[in-house]
Amino acid sequence: MGRPPFAWLPTLLLLRTAAFADNPCPMNVSQPAPDNAYQVNDVLWAGQPEKPYPPAAYRTIPGVGFVLCTCEIGPCVRKCCAPNAAYVNSKCKPLNESDHVAKFEVPKLMNASGTVDVYETSVFHIVHGKPACAKKYKLVPSVEENDHFLVSGAGWLLNESKTVIAAPNRFCLEQFSDLNYQILAIVCSPEISESPQGGVSIIYTIGMMLSLPFLFSTFLVYALIRDLQNLHGKSLMCHVATLLVAYTSLIIVQFITNSVVKEWCVFLAYTVQFSFLASFFWLNVMCFDLWWTFSGFRPLRGNLKEHEAKKFIVYSIYAWGCTSFISIITFGMEELPYLPSGAIRPGFGNKSCWFGSNSAMLLYFYGPIATLLLSNLLMFIHTAIMIVKHMRDAKVLRGSESQKNVDHEKRRNVLCFRFMLYLKLFIVMGVNWLMEIISWALGSDGPAILWYITDIGNCLQGVLIFLIFVCKKRVLNLLNKKLCPQLQLFKTSNVSTRTTNSTVSRTSSNVKNKDAVEMSTRSSSNSTNNQLHDFKA
């Protein structure tokens, strides 16, 4: 979602333990202290002339004595590869004289044009080797405008507005053969162990893992029971299936480390984008179908099954087609070589297994989602207005024959229940994601506790969908009959059922011929009867 992918805490701790076991000094660089070194309180005095070294600048190693931490004495910059080596095909390889590669120099500023200025060789002590962190991303100023960077005199990596990107021990610089041996920065991704939100991030991952079996169970129930496989059921199955793929891919992303091939990282990013967008398009389909039903538009010709089959084909073309179109555009913007320099590329795999910039995330992900959520909201508002109007008109008929009043009550209850069913789904997914978009736009501003609540709600969507669409009396009864017909969980009244069927059948006829505010949801009495059973709690 909008947050950086979570790191895996145990792996991170193991990496850090190994790093400090080799050398206790920061950046693992030290040098023996002069022989005349001596300690006064916590200060080490050494050299000719004598110089004081605070506790952070030296260490005491048993059997060795005092050592000075090089990068505490003066500024250091880390070079990713060994001396006289560079990145060739994403790996550090020795350079030959025939390569004619310029000498490695620490840049003061790197922008789209390349190196603007460099430091004198004596300014920094060069440390060789990549930083010890689980995840890293690359800054490519020639490709992404937001990736312009500079190195401060103290060895910190900054952006053009002088905001800190990384501390000296959290990045390295190296020349890359695929960009004419231009110097780029490899930066450690933010890690949860350094953030007070680490425990919350773990809860997010656990929440998504908890949602998976509930999503799968919801899909399985609707796939097994034929009576649930109407237009509403098929649309819900598509919605749940896309969420299942999205959550599975997102969980895999959480545990990806640098050892994973970049192509797999990019593939997972496309999968997460496609599946989440598809889930929102299918939510939009269900909201549209509800609005269409309440609007009283004339249905397609044919009987009920043919009518729903045609609508499902149209809805499938819309949902899968629009999602595929956005994914194709995203892929084209990533892969096409001859695009204007200002074009917004997705940047999958550059910094993480997700978009490389906020502008790309807005254009290819949050923008379409926000548009769909807004259209869903407008359709719900219009539907609610029509329900209020229908209820107001129904009150006028209360003075007429009692049977007609019963028929209107039955029909109104069916329509209102369907509205409430989808309203719950919209609240579960729509409102939570709307807050997600707002929190992404505000960044660190705003009430953090509210973002935590909505994020956890997003992670537990599978559980909430299961409670809304499976934990209903009719669905559980059908499931009981399908799996274990000998065991009757719910008692049913034949008299009540016959009365309801008869009443609803007459309702369809009366409404079709006499009702001044026709809410045409089916073309026959059988369709209204089916509707009652499909959406009855």
Side-chain angles (χ1 to χ4, degrees):
M1 303 181 232
R3 315 294 194 276
F6 314 135
W8 191 15
L9 183 59
T11 302
L12 177 65
L13 293 177
L14 287 173
L15 287 171
R16 293 196 165 186
T17 302
F20 279 96
D22 295 336
N23 195 311
C25 284
M27 296 183 73
N28 301 325
V29 180
S30 63
Q31 60 194 63
D35 293 336
N36 64 342
Y38 62 94
Q39 197 174 15
V40 177
N41 295 325
D42 289 335
V43 178
L44 182 72
W45 292 85
Q48 289 293 339
E50 284 187 339
K51 292 171 58 179
Y53 295 95
Y58 73 92
R59 301 287 186 270
T60 304
I61 300 179
V64 177
F66 297 111
V67 294
L68 301 178
C69 297
T70 305
C71 297
E72 291 292 336
I73 300 172
C76 288
V77 168
R78 187 180 290 274
K79 183 180 184 295
C80 303
C81 300
N84 199 34
Y87 268 114
V88 179
N89 296 327
S90 301
K91 292 184 178 180
C92 288
K93 292 186 178 180
L95 297 173
N96 300 319
E97 292 184 3
S98 58
D99 293 328
H100 303 292
V101 179
K103 180 183 177 182
F104 177 85
E105 295 177 299
V106 178
K108 289 184 178 180
L109 174 63
M110 288 289 299
N111 59 22
S113 303
T115 305
V116 175
D117 197 6
V118 296
Y119 284 100
E120 296 289 336
T121 307
S122 58
V123 173
F124 296 103
H125 178 84
I126 304 299
V127 178
H128 298 279
K130 289 175 283 190
C133 50
K135 296 182 182 181
K136 308 178 185 71
Y137 63 91
K138 182 167 57 178
L139 296 180
V140 189
S142 59
V143 175
E144 180 63 49
E145 184 178 353
N146 293 334
D147 285 356
H148 295 182
F149 67 87
L150 56 90
V151 179
S152 72
W156 289 67
L157 188 68
L158 313 176
N159 59 22
E160 284 190 307
S161 62
K162 303 298 179 66
T163 303
V164 173
I165 299 176
N169 64 331
R170 301 289 292 168
F171 77 97
C172 65
L173 303 174
E174 193 49 81
Q175 297 163 298
F176 283 75
S177 63
D178 56 344
L179 289 173
N180 258 348
Y181 291 99
Q182 189 180 57
I183 292 179
L184 306 179
I186 305 294
V187 188
C188 291
S189 299
E191 295 174 340
I192 59 173
S193 63
E194 295 179 354
S195 169
Q197 303 174 1
V200 179
S201 299
I202 295 174
I203 293 175
Y204 293 161
T205 306
I206 294 174
M208 288 188 292
M209 296 176 71
L210 184 63
S211 283
L212 290 183
F214 285 95
L215 288 170
F216 181 74
S217 299
T218 304
F219 181 86
L220 193 62
V221 167
Y222 277 76
L224 287 175
I225 303 175
R226 185 175 296 274
D227 290 348
L228 297 177
Q229 295 176 14
N230 52 14
L231 179 61
H232 154 75
K234 290 178 181 178
S235 300
L236 180 65
M237 287 171 65
C238 292
H239 175 71
V240 170
T242 54
L243 279 181
L244 188 62
V245 174
Y247 275 54
T248 303
S249 303
L250 197 58
I251 289 171
I252 295 173
V253 169
Q254 310 310 316
F255 294 97
I256 278 185
T257 63
N258 261 8
S259 61
V260 178
V261 180
K262 179 181 177 180
E263 284 72 17
W264 277 105
C265 179
V266 173
F267 171 77
L268 286 170
Y270 279 113
T271 304
V272 171
Q273 182 208 22
F274 180 90
S275 51
F276 266 124
L277 286 177
S279 70
F280 278 98
F281 274 106
W282 277 108
L283 177 63
N284 185 246
V285 161
M286 290 186 281
C287 294
F288 172 80
D289 187 66
L290 175 69
W291 173 79
W292 179 277
T293 300
F294 272 93
S295 297
F297 290 108
R298 297 185 65 181
L300 300 174
R301 293 181 179 179
N303 60 34
L304 176 62
K305 289 186 177 180
E306 291 179 353
H307 173 215
E308 290 196 342
K310 291 177 181 178
K311 287 180 72 175
F312 184 71
I313 292 174
V314 174
Y315 290 159
S316 297
I317 294 173
Y318 164 74
W320 298 122
C322 291
T323 307
S324 300
F325 176 76
I326 295 175
S327 294
I328 291 171
I329 293 296
T330 306
F331 181 80
M333 293 298 292
E334 182 70 62
E335 299 298 330
L336 291 177
Y338 305 109
L339 290 175
S341 57
I344 301 176
R345 295 181 181 269
F348 287 145
N350 288 347
K351 298 180 180 180
S352 65
C353 301
W354 197 227
F355 291 99
S357 64
N358 286 337
S359 55
M361 201 179 304
L362 175 64
L363 182 62
Y364 304 114
F365 190 68
Y366 280 131
I369 288 176
T371 303
L372 291 172
L373 291 179
L374 178 60
S375 67
N376 292 347
L377 180 61
L378 293 177
M379 285 187 286
F380 269 116
I381 292 174
H382 187 222
T383 304
I385 293 173
M386 288 189 292
I387 288 177
V388 172
K389 183 178 182 298
H390 176 65
M391 294 175 66
R392 190 177 300 163
D393 292 334
K395 290 180 181 179
V396 178
L397 301 175
R398 285 185 177 178
S400 62
E401 58 191 57
S402 59
Q403 185 58 55
K404 180 181 289 188
N405 292 337
V406 173
D407 292 343
H408 277 288
E409 287 294 325
K410 293 288 185 182
R411 188 173 184 81
R412 186 189 67 181
N413 290 341
V414 170
L415 297 174
C416 290
F417 181 80
R418 188 178 182 187
F419 174 78
M420 293 304 298
L421 193 69
Y422 285 117
L423 181 61
K424 291 176 185 177
L425 180 61
F426 176 74
I427 292 173
V428 167
M429 191 162 185
V431 174
N432 278 340
W433 271 85
L434 181 62
M435 298 304 296
E436 167 73 16
I437 295 173
I438 294 174
S439 70
W440 166 78
L442 294 178
S444 59
D445 298 330
I449 185 64
L450 181 59
W451 308 149
Y452 295 156
I453 293 173
T454 56
D455 284 348
I456 293 174
N458 278 334
C459 295
L460 294 175
Q461 278 177 14
V463 180
L464 299 175
I465 289 174
F466 180 85
L467 294 175
I468 294 172
F469 291 98
V470 176
C471 294
K472 300 192 301 176
K473 183 176 179 179
R474 177 176 179 262
V475 175
L476 294 176
N477 194 30
L478 289 172
L479 188 63
N480 174 212
K481 291 180 180 179
K482 179 73 176 179
L483 301 180
C484 189
Q486 296 84 3
L487 179 63
Q488 187 174 356
L489 296 178
F490 302 98
K491 294 182 179 180
T492 57
S493 173
N494 294 331
V495 176
S496 175
T497 302
R498 286 196 300 270
T499 302
T500 301
N501 290 341
S502 175
T503 300
V504 175
S505 297
R506 288 194 301 271
T507 299
S508 178
S509 177
N510 290 337
V511 171
K512 185 174 181 180
N513 296 317
K514 302 175 182 179
D515 194 352
V517 281
E518 178 181 3
M519 301 296 288
S520 177
T521 60
R522 294 290 185 267
S523 61
S524 66
S525 61
N526 289 333
S527 65
T528 307
N529 188 28
N530 289 337
Q531 188 184 38
L532 176 61
H533 282 284
D534 286 343
F535 303 106
K536 188 176 181 182

